[in-house]
Amino acid sequence: MGTVEPQVATQSEAQTVDGFQLVIDALKLNGLDTIYGLPGIPITDLTRRAQAAGLRVLSFRHEQNAGYAASIAGFLTQKPGICLTVSAPGFLNGLNALAHATVNCFPMILISGSSEREIVDLQQGDYEEMDQLAIAKPVAKAAFRVLHADDIGVGIARAIRAAVSGRPGGVYLDLPAKLFAQSIDAAAGKNSLIKVVDAAPKQIPAPESIKRALDLLRSAKKPLIVLGKGAAYAQADAQIKDLVEKTGIPYLPMSMAKGLLPDTHELCASAARSFVLPGADVVMLIGARLNWLLSHGKGKTWGGKGHKDWGGQKFIQIDISPQEADSNVRIDAPVVGDIGSCVSALLSNLGNLPKPPAEWLNAINEKKTTNVAKMGETLAKNPSPMNFHSALNVVRDIVKANPDAMLVNEGANALDFTRSIVDMYKPRKRIDVGTWGIMGVGMGYCVAAAVVTRQPVIAIEGDSAFGFSGMEVETICRYDLPVCIVIMNNNGVYKGTDKDPTGRDPAPTVFVKGARYDKLMEAFGGVGVNATTPAELRKAMEEAIRSKKPTLINAVIDETAGTESGRITSLNPSAAKKK
Ligand code: ADP
Ligand code: TPW
Ligand code: MG
C-alpha cells in the first residue's frame, strides 16, 4: 500500500492516467471484479493496484491453477474469468487453462504481461522473450495485443465480447510491459474505456427450425433428451425443467449438467444410460456435443453393430454454434440459438405434443429400478479396507444433506464412481475434468467455486489427480476458504498394485504407499484427517462443512479396488458401475 498511494496522487495531480490504471478501470467498468493470477514482472504492480482499487486479487502458487480457477469462474458466472500472468513461462503455465476454457466453451480471458516487442520480434534475447500472441492463437477463441494505452478500453471490450458471445471460449490478451507505464491524459483515458453493452446477445432460433424439431419429436416413440454443460452454462434452468416436465421426455444429464434437474427426478434416465442410448429413436441434444463422451453418436453405445455403425437415431441439436451440427453424425433438426431462447420457443410451440408412449417410460423405469437396487446393495457393504463405493456412499449422503455445496471432482475411478454414485440436486453444482478429462483442475476449481458461490466446496480427488494442483492447499488456507478435500487414496493411478517387472523401480502408476496427504493441509494451518472407515469419513466431512475450515481428509481406499480406467468406456457410468 505504501508504494501505491503516492503513485495515485502523482497521477491525479498531473491529470494523467497510466496503463496500469486503465486496465483496472476497464475491468471494473465491465463488472470484472476478480483476478486469479500470480505476480511478477511486469504485472506485479497491476496486482497490487488492482487490489488497492477494490478488485479481489487471488494469488496462486502456479498459473495453471489460477487459469483453471478463472475458466470455471467463467462457467459459473457467464462473465469471463480473468487470469493474470507474467510473460513467457508464466504465460505458458496459464496456456493449458486457456485451451481448457476454449475446448469446454467456458468464457475466460488470459491476460499476460509480455516483453519488449522490438526485442522479441528481432529475437535479441529479452527477459522472458516469447511471441506469446502467436503461441496463444491456436488454443484461443481469439487473441489480441494492445500497444497503446488509449487502446486498452477497446482491447478489453473486444476480449470480453469474444469470450462470452456465441459459443464461449478462452481469449488471450497480450499486454506488453511498456504499455503499463504509458501515461495519457486522464480525461482522454476515461473516454477511451468501453462499457460493453449486451456482451452475449440472445440468439433467437429460426421458427422453421423449431417446427422441424417439434415435427420430429411428434414422430418419436422413444424420445430422449441429453442435457450437456452448455445447458448448465446457459442458466435457463426454469425453461429446461419446464420442457422436460411438459413433454414428459426422459433425460440424461452429462456430467456437468447433473443437477440441472435433480438426479432423483422421475424422468432422469442416468441409471438406465446403457438402455436409453441404444433404445431411443429421437434424441434431442441440448448444449451437448456428440464427441467422444457420447461415443460420437454411433457404435455399440447407440445400438450400432460395429464401432462406426449408426444406431438409427434421429437427432435434434440445440446449440449456439451453427457449425456443431453434423460434426459426427447427421443432425436431422439443428436448432441454432441460445438455449434459453430455443427452449422457450419450443415451449411456446409445443401444442398438443403427445407424451412418450408408456411402454418406453415403463421399460426405462424397470431398468432404473434394477440398476438402483444393484447399486444399493454394493453401497450398503462395508468392506475393510474401505473401497470407492463405501466411501462414496458417505459422500452421497453429505451432498444430499448439503445440496447447495459445490462438488469438484477429478481422477479416474475417483471421477467415474463419484459421477455415477453421488446425486446432484441443483444446477451448476458439479464441476469436473470436462471435455478433455484433464487432471489438475481440482484446487483451482475449489478456490473459484468458493469465491464465486460463497458456498461450501467438497472436492473428491484421486490421489494422482490431486497431485497436479496440491500446492494450492496453501492458497485455500491463506484465503480461509470453506473447502473440504477428500483424497481417495488408493496409492496411485487407477490402483496401487502394479509392479515393475524388472524389480528396479516402483511401477509408473504407483505412489508412496500409505501417504498421508492430510499432513499437507496441517502444514498451512488447515484441518487434516486420516479416515480409514466410512464412519470416520462421515464424521470428518460433517465437521468440515460445519466448521467451514479448510480440511483435507485422506480417505484410505483399498489399493486393489480401482480398475484401469483410461478407456473411453470408463466415462460411461453404467460401464463403471458394472465393474
Ligand atoms: P458436455 O460435455 O456436457 O456434453 P459439451 O461441452 O460437449 O457438453 O457441449 C456444450 C455445447 O453447448 C457446445 O457445443 C456449445 O456451443 C453449447 N453452448 C454453450 N453455451 C450455449 C448457450 N448459451 N446456448 C446454446 N448453446 C450453448
Ligand atoms: C493433465 C491421464 C487420467 S486419470 C489419471 C491420469 C494421470 C489419474 C488417475 O489416478 P487417480 O484416480 O487420480 O489417483 P484413481 O481413483 O483412478 O486412482 N495428465 C493430464 N490429464 C490426464 N487425463 C492424464 C494425465 C490420467
Ligand atoms: Mg488413485
Side-chain angles (χ1 to χ4, degrees):
M1 287 291 281
T3 54
V4 172
E5 281 163 3
Q7 253 174 317
V8 173
T10 314
Q11 274 177 18
S12 63
E13 274 160 29
Q15 300 288 299
T16 62
V17 61
D18 66 7
F20 283 119
Q21 196 60 44
L22 286 166
V23 172
I24 292 163
D25 291 348
L27 293 174
K28 274 182 92 168
L29 184 64
N30 286 289
L32 302 175
D33 53 8
T34 307
I35 293 176
Y36 304 89
L38 200 158
I41 289 175
I43 51 101
T44 319
D45 278 342
L46 185 59
T47 60
R48 290 198 185 107
R49 287 175 57 177
Q51 188 171 56
L55 273 80
R56 189 103 198 255
V57 181
L58 295 149
S59 205
F60 284 72
R61 304 303 293 264
H62 190 295
E63 292 88 348
Q64 186 169 300
N65 305 319
Y68 289 144
S71 75
I72 209 66
F75 169 76
L76 292 171
T77 63
Q78 296 183 324
K79 290 196 289 187
I82 304 294
C83 175
L84 179 64
T85 80
V86 302
S87 17
F91 157 78
L92 285 173
N93 283 345
L95 204 57
N96 207 325
L98 184 72
H100 171 74
T102 304
V103 165
N104 283 274
C105 317
F106 299 160
M108 163 183 174
I109 304 175
L110 173 66
I111 303 180
S112 295
S114 59
S115 302
E116 296 269 333
R117 285 261 38 93
E118 293 82 349
I119 303 179
V120 172
D121 287 348
L122 275 170
Q123 298 172 34
Q124 294 174 308
D126 201 1
Y127 167 72
E128 297 191 349
E129 174 181 298
M130 176 174 272
D131 187 0
Q132 295 168 197
L133 188 71
I135 288 167
K137 271 183 185 164
V139 298
K141 184 181 170 196
F144 306 99
R145 178 185 289 134
V146 181
L147 291 176
H148 300 291
D150 47 12
D151 285 331
I152 286 172
V154 168
I156 291 196
R158 299 211 73 191
I160 293 170
R161 282 199 188 279
V164 299
S165 64
R167 171 183 279 177
V171 175
Y172 176 60
L173 187 63
D174 194 81
L175 301 183
K178 261 198 209 165
L179 179 78
F180 296 116
Q182 277 178 31
S183 280
I184 60 171
D185 175 71
K190 190 165 183 215
N191 198 34
S192 71
L193 300 183
I194 295 173
K195 186 167 164 46
V196 176
V197 177
D198 197 12
K202 272 194 187 169
Q203 296 193 21
I204 313 291
E208 56 271 27
S209 72
I210 295 295
K211 181 171 181 309
R212 205 181 288 123
L214 286 170
D215 284 349
L216 196 49
L217 275 186
R218 204 162 285 122
S219 74
K221 297 277 173 291
K222 300 171 173 184
L224 176 71
I225 291 174
V226 175
L227 299 172
K229 58 171 135 35
Y233 173 79
Q235 300 194 14
D237 310 336
Q239 293 101 304
I240 287 172
K241 182 170 183 286
D242 252 22
L243 183 72
V244 169
E245 291 180 348
K246 290 209 169 123
T247 60
I249 299 176
Y251 69 95
L252 194 65
M254 298 300 286
S255 187
M256 279 174 61
K258 274 166 72 78
L260 208 43
L261 286 89
D263 281 339
T264 46
H265 195 285
E266 59 173 350
L267 289 169
C268 180
S270 291
R273 188 183 199 268
S274 57
F275 175 73
V276 291
L277 289 181
D281 59 357
V282 174
V283 179
M284 178 154 65
L285 302 159
I286 308 185
R289 288 170 286 187
L290 280 177
N291 58 16
W292 68 288
L293 288 150
L294 281 168
S295 306
H296 305 281
K298 55 198 167 192
K300 290 193 177 149
T301 307
W302 292 88
K305 287 190 196 71
H307 183 60
K308 293 233 157 195
D309 265 9
W310 171 50
Q313 290 84 0
K314 303 245 182 230
F315 286 101
I316 302 164
Q317 184 162 36
I318 303 182
D319 206 289
I320 202 153
S321 164
Q323 295 177 49
E324 186 53 39
D326 303 332
S327 55
N328 284 273
V329 295
R330 176 174 51 241
I331 301 297
D332 303 276
V335 179
V336 176
D338 70 278
I339 285 164
S341 302
C342 295
V343 174
S344 298
L346 286 171
L347 279 169
S348 38
N349 291 284
L350 276 186
N352 58 348
L353 188 78
K355 288 270 154 75
E359 221 174 285
W360 173 233
L361 299 178
N362 292 342
I364 296 173
N365 280 334
E366 244 170 66
K367 281 282 161 200
K368 273 172 69 174
T369 311
T370 317
N371 287 344
V372 167
K374 243 191 264 169
M375 178 60 90
E377 271 171 39
T378 316
L379 291 178
K381 287 182 190 150
N382 189 6
S384 177
M386 184 156 65
N387 64 9
F388 285 100
H389 290 88
S390 58
L392 287 169
N393 189 37
V394 172
V395 177
R396 173 188 229 243
D397 290 347
I398 302 278
V399 170
K400 186 175 185 185
N402 298 278
D404 286 311
M406 294 294 299
L407 183 73
V408 173
N409 190 201
E410 60 177 338
N413 293 280
L415 177 88
D416 294 349
F417 286 129
T418 304
R419 189 186 46 239
S420 60
I421 292 169
V422 177
D423 289 330
M424 304 306 296
Y425 300 89
K426 295 199 175 181
R428 291 171 298 285
K429 293 299 181 187
R430 185 188 153 86
I431 49 181
D432 66 28
V433 299
T435 303
W436 266 348
I438 205 166
M439 298 298 116
V441 292
M443 298 305 104
Y445 274 18
C446 284
V447 172
V451 165
V452 166
T453 70
R454 298 170 187 275
Q455 295 292 337
V457 179
I458 297 167
I460 306 301
E461 298 273 314
D463 52 331
S464 164
F466 172 74
F468 288 74
S469 67
M471 196 62 209
E472 303 296 347
V473 295
E474 188 276 328
T475 311
I476 289 166
C477 288
R478 185 165 14 108
Y479 295 108
D480 195 23
L481 300 173
V483 175
C484 171
I485 304 158
V486 179
I487 311 266
M488 296 284 172
N489 189 357
N490 62 350
N491 294 343
V493 176
Y494 312 139
K495 36 169 82 190
T497 49
D498 276 7
K499 296 263 184 296
D500 173 358
T502 73
R504 185 174 52 191
D505 282 322
T509 52
V510 167
F511 298 150
V512 167
K513 303 267 180 186
R516 291 286 303 274
Y517 292 97
D518 47 313
K519 304 266 185 199
L520 217 69
M521 189 56 113
E522 287 174 357
F524 305 106
V527 177
V529 180
N530 191 49
T532 57
T533 63
E536 285 169 4
L537 176 60
R538 188 180 301 271
K539 182 162 171 276
M541 287 189 80
E542 282 172 351
E543 179 56 20
I545 302 262
R546 197 200 56 72
S547 74
K548 300 195 168 73
K549 284 190 192 143
T551 300
L552 194 156
I553 305 165
N554 184 56
V556 181
I557 302 290
D558 181 356
E559 66 172 11
T560 68
T563 50
E564 181 85 14
S565 203
R567 305 194 307 271
I568 285 175
T569 48
S570 71
L571 275 146
N572 174 344
S574 50
K577 229 185 295 175
K578 273 188 213 139
K579 278 166 208 146

